[in-house]
């Protein structure tokens, strides 16, 4: 999806890729060290062997409530019902008179998905089994087509509805308690007031959302995992860094105090990502570049990678910013919502659109982040043994514990219908 924006946006995107049937990975929240592993672990082991030091994080298999989440491109939802899963909740999206509505995707009669239903009357959705018909605005049962106009059950029950908003060419759904805050609260501030052009991609990938978020903010992996990525073919990456994490508003930011381009390992040799064909490296923070977009310069970021709740990564380069939302689908799948933004208009914006469709979408939002998806799928932790660069992971986990967001309960713990 490529989109231009100036205080308002609309657009369409690629058809969403289906969930791929894969082996079911172990869900990290329910994983515990085996007795043998516990016996082998020294009492003096630092935090990180298991997730008991982060009880909120450990229990957040399905993510956090009381946030807005991007779930679909606006152009992919019309009058035909579209099923999605968000934080383990089954939801049906449908557009009625230009406005997207969201209902719990389950008829309380016999549990049939409403996403299989019909738009029998304007402003309603009817279950395909017996014609139980629900008002799209409030979810109330307004008619039972197979029980006549005086059906006594009408008005006595309803299905849950969800707040919906459209921003950045995306549909956002709020899962939470009480009145929903403005959707702008959960969108980066720089995307709310400045004109920009963007390209994006969404897909559903195997793995728990926490593995995806940790991978995004992870300090060490890019230097090794991604040194074979085509996106990095002509770009030099450090061999290793010394990093600290700083807190800036709602963001945690990785700050690189030392950047080492090569290292000599005794008895092994030199390790480096330098190659004769690779050009000069990008700066370790946007402001160090000789040429920087004015909007990005004004953000005054001390590092180029940052993360914030409920699971949003921001990677800021001198001329563009890449964002990744890690949206929990269920315990074993995560929705990757990726957008690349350039704060430009006119000819420069048009050139970016062409470049995105011709190359960036496939190289960066495809092959490059596909390597991340591979690791998220095969990761099996805890138990785990952390090393020095994992300070980014422990900082993120501690930040969540301090913030104490509301954990999404398991489906069995929720009342599905009213």
């Amino acid at each position: 999806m490529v989109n231009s924006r100036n205080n308002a946006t609309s657009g369409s995107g690629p058809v969403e890729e289906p969930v791929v049937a894969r082996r079911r990975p172990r869900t990290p929240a329910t994983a515990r060290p085996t007795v043998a592993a516990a016996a082998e672990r020294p009492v003096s082991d630092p935090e990180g062997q298991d997730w008991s030091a982060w009880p909120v994080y450990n229990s957040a298999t399905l993510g956090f409530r009381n946030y807005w989440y991007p779930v679909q491109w606006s152009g992919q939802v019309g009058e035909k019902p579209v099923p999605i899963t968000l934080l383990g909740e089954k939801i049906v999206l449908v557009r009625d008179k230009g406005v997207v509505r969201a209902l719990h995707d389950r008829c309380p009669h016999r549990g049939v998905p409403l996403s299989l239903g019909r738009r029998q009357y304007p402003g309603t959705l009817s279950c395909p089994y017996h014609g139980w018909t629900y008002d799209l605005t409030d979810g109330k049962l307004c008619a039972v087509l197979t029980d006549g106009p005086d059906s006594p059950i009408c008005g006595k029950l309803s299905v849950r509805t969800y707040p919906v908003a459209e921003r950045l060419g995306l549909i956002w759904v709020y899962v939470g308690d009480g009145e929903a805050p403005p959707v702008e609260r959960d969108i980066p501030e720089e995307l709310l007031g400045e004109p920009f052009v963007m390209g994006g991609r969404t897909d559903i990938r195997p793995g728990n959302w926490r593995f995806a978020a940790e991978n995004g903010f992870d300090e060490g992996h890019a230097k090794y995992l991604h040194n074979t990525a085509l996106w990095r073919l002509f770009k030099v990456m450090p061999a290793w860094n010394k990093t600290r994490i700083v807190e800036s508003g709602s963001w945690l930011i990785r700050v690189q105090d030392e950047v080492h381009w090569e290292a000599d390992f005794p008895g092994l040799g030199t390790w480096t990502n330098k190659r004769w064909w690779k050009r000069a490296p990008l700066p370790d923070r946007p402001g160090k570049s000789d040429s920087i977009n004015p909007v990005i310069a004004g953000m005054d970021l001390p590092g180029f990678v940052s993360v914030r709740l409920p699971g949003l990564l921001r990677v800021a380069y001198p001329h563009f910013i890449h964002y990744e939302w890690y949206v929990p689908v269920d315990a074993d799948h995560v929705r990757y919502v990726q957008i690349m933004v350039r704060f430009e208009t006119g000819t420069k914006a048009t050139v970016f659109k062409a470049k995105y469709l011709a190359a960036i979408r496939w190289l960066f939002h495809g092959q490059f982040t596909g390597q991340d998806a591979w690791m998220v799928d095969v990761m099996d932790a805890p138990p785990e043994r952390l090393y020095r660069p994992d300070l980014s992971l422990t900082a993120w986990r501690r930040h969540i514990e301090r913030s104490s967001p509301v954990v999404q309960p398991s489906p069995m713990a929720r009342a599905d219908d009213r």
Side-chain angles (χ1 to χ4, degrees):
M1 194 279 284
V2 176
N3 191 15
S4 296
R5 176 193 177 277
N6 192 345
N7 298 327
T9 187
S10 63
S12 61
V15 176
E16 185 172 353
E17 298 177 17
V19 176
V20 179
R22 302 287 295 274
R23 62 170 179 79
R24 184 179 178 88
R26 182 171 66 179
T27 302
T30 58
R32 295 292 182 270
T34 63
V35 173
E40 294 171 0
R41 184 174 64 223
V43 175
S44 60
D45 260 11
E47 64 179 18
Q49 176 69 24
D50 59 37
W51 288 6
S52 60
W54 306 284
V56 174
Y57 192 68
N58 188 41
S59 62
T61 308
L62 296 175
F64 301 116
R65 296 177 64 79
N66 302 327
Y67 287 96
W68 288 91
Y69 291 92
V71 297
Q72 203 87 344
W73 296 113
S74 290
Q76 292 180 323
V77 177
E79 294 185 356
K80 182 179 179 181
V82 176
I84 65 165
T85 303
L86 175 61
L87 278 65
E89 300 197 15
K90 302 293 185 181
I91 299 172
V92 55
L93 304 175
V94 62
R95 191 179 295 275
D96 181 62
K97 297 179 181 178
V99 178
V100 177
R101 306 291 186 182
L103 280 69
H104 180 51
D105 193 13
R106 180 184 184 276
C107 179
H109 178 212
R110 302 301 303 279
V112 172
L114 291 175
S115 56
L116 300 176
R118 307 173 193 169
R119 301 294 308 283
Q120 200 70 54
Y121 300 101
T124 69
L125 181 59
S126 299
C127 176
Y129 198 14
H130 297 91
W132 287 37
T133 300
Y134 301 90
D135 189 301
L136 290 174
T137 59
D138 57 16
K140 290 182 179 179
L141 179 66
C142 57
V144 178
L145 303 183
T146 56
D147 194 27
D150 62 346
S151 176
I153 198 171
C154 288
K156 294 183 179 179
L157 57 82
S158 61
V159 295
R160 186 185 314 129
T161 59
Y162 299 80
V164 181
E166 292 189 72
R167 298 289 189 278
L168 311 180
L170 289 158
I171 294 170
W172 301 68
V173 174
Y174 181 81
V175 176
D177 307 298
E179 186 175 352
V183 66
E184 288 79 10
R185 185 202 68 175
D186 293 330
I187 298 176
E189 182 179 3
E190 62 270 16
L191 299 180
L192 298 175
E194 300 291 341
F196 61 78
V197 61
M198 60 175 267
R201 182 171 184 162
T202 72
D203 56 355
I204 295 176
R205 299 175 174 181
N208 188 258
W209 77 272
R210 288 167 297 182
F211 287 160
E214 290 188 344
N215 172 82
F217 197 51
D218 174 74
E219 160 62 27
H221 81 280
K223 305 168 186 62
Y224 193 79
L225 175 66
H226 292 312
N227 69 1
T228 60
L230 296 176
W231 177 256
R232 291 292 192 181
L233 184 62
F234 299 105
K235 302 171 185 177
V236 181
M237 291 184 291
W240 65 285
N241 296 333
K242 283 191 176 180
T243 302
R244 58 189 166 91
I245 308 299
V246 301
E247 199 159 345
S248 178
S250 60
W251 295 93
L252 294 181
I253 305 177
R254 280 185 3 216
V255 178
Q256 296 177 346
D257 290 327
E258 294 182 20
V259 180
H260 298 267
W261 300 102
E262 56 187 20
D264 291 321
F265 290 86
L268 298 176
T270 300
W271 163 249
T272 180
N273 279 309
K274 290 182 177 180
R275 301 294 186 270
W276 66 266
W277 65 83
K278 292 181 181 283
R279 62 177 175 80
L282 291 170
D284 51 38
R285 62 180 174 88
K288 288 180 67 174
S289 175
D290 294 332
S291 173
I292 183 172
N293 178 274
V295 175
I296 299 175
M299 295 168 66
D300 193 26
L301 298 171
F304 73 101
V305 179
S306 47
V307 70
R308 82 177 203 188
L309 285 165
L312 167 60
L313 186 77
R314 178 178 65 189
V315 185
Y317 294 94
H319 297 287
F320 68 89
I321 301 181
H322 167 69
Y323 299 88
E324 288 185 11
W325 280 266
Y326 310 109
V327 181
V329 174
D330 55 30
D332 299 307
H333 295 90
V334 56
R335 184 186 302 270
Y336 270 64
V337 179
Q338 307 176 78
I339 66 172
M340 181 181 289
V341 169
R342 293 188 72 109
F343 298 96
E344 295 168 342
T345 58
T347 302
K348 289 184 177 180
T350 302
V351 170
F352 169 74
K353 289 181 184 181
K355 289 174 62 176
Y356 181 82
L357 291 174
I360 297 173
R361 171 175 163 77
W362 314 109
L363 292 177
F364 189 34
H365 285 166
Q367 194 256 350
F368 183 84
T369 63
Q371 292 180 327
D372 296 315
W374 173 37
M375 290 295 104
V376 171
D377 183 23
V378 301
M379 208 176 306
D380 184 18
E384 60 190 8
R385 297 294 297 268
L386 304 184
Y387 76 142
R388 182 169 58 182
D390 287 329
L391 60 85
S392 57
L393 309 189
T394 54
W396 166 241
R397 296 172 185 178
R398 283 194 296 269
H399 175 72
I400 289 174
E401 297 302 315
R402 290 195 303 268
S403 302
S404 296
V406 179
V407 172
Q408 172 75 343
S410 66
M412 295 299 294
R414 298 191 301 269
D416 287 336
D417 304 297
R418 301 188 296 275

